[in-house]
Amino acid sequence: MSDVLSLWKWSGRLPAGRRVFSTMFARRAPYFATVRPRFTVVRPDHVELVVRDRKRVHNHIGTVHAIALCNGLEAAMGALAEASIPPGKRWIPKGMEVTYTAKASSDITCIAETDPLVWAGGDPDVPVRVRGVRDDGTVVVEGVISLWVTERPPAAG
């Protein structure tokens, strides 16, 4: 089991376990702390987290900033990749393509999903579907984050 899945299961047994997991995840990649992601679902091939609608992440018109949305989507993708990648492989983001479809005027649930079969194949390009959804169910951003997946090099001596 991956470190991310182990941490998710362990923290789930604690009071405020999701908050503990979210804080520990953001410490591993400190930039994610800028949006204070709150993970709600972590499993292979599907991760959800919430970016709260607060002034710290607003743009000039008072909605959640596009880059804050992308930061939330990338955090969801990162947790998904860590929870899904087979042993002996490693990943790195290769690119992100998103379309903004509506104003982000509430808390936003960031969702990352993959087909389990993409990890089993030998193709180094792995697409992760991402979207951000407003409280009323409206999709405010959607797209794909492409990963480059390769064999992990042997441990040094």
Side-chain angles (χ1 to χ4, degrees), residues 2-32:
S2 78
D3 291 344
V4 165
L5 286 176
S6 295
L7 178 61
W8 178 254
K9 289 181 180 199
W10 172 81
S11 64
R13 296 188 298 255
L14 302 173
R18 289 180 177 177
R19 182 172 300 256
V20 169
F21 175 89
S22 299
T23 300
M24 292 178 78
F25 186 87
R27 281 193 179 150
R28 186 167 179 195
Y31 183 72
F32 293 139

Side-chain angles (χ1 to χ4, degrees), residues 94-156:
K94 184 176 171 182
M96 174 186 261
E97 188 172 321
V98 296
T99 302
Y100 303 101
T101 56
K103 289 182 180 178
S105 55
S106 72
D107 291 351
I108 303 299
T109 300
C110 296
I111 302 164
E113 299 175 302
T114 55
D115 181 336
L117 297 176
V118 300
W119 303 102
D123 190 348
D125 293 314
V126 172
V128 178
R129 296 176 309 279
V130 293
R131 70 184 180 279
V133 182
R134 225 169 35 200
D135 286 345
D136 67 3
T138 301
V139 174
V140 300
V141 60
E142 59 188 342
V144 173
I145 300 175
S146 300
L147 304 182
W148 182 254
V149 177
T150 60
E151 295 294 325
R152 187 176 299 280

Side-chain angles (χ1 to χ4, degrees), residues 41-100:
V41 176
V42 176
R43 63 178 188 257
D45 305 304
H46 186 94
V47 170
E48 296 184 19
L49 63 83
V50 174
V51 173
R52 289 189 3 246
D53 179 19
R54 55 196 176 88
K55 189 167 179 63
R56 178 179 209 120
V57 297
H58 279 180
N59 58 21
H60 65 289
I61 61 171
T63 60
V64 180
H65 194 283
I67 298 304
L69 295 172
C70 286
N71 196 359
L73 295 174
E74 191 170 2
M77 172 281 302
L80 176 142
E82 288 294 315
S84 306
I85 197 164
K89 302 265 185 169
R90 63 182 179 176
W91 65 274
I92 190 165
K94 184 176 171 182
M96 174 186 261
E97 188 172 321
V98 296
T99 302
Y100 303 101

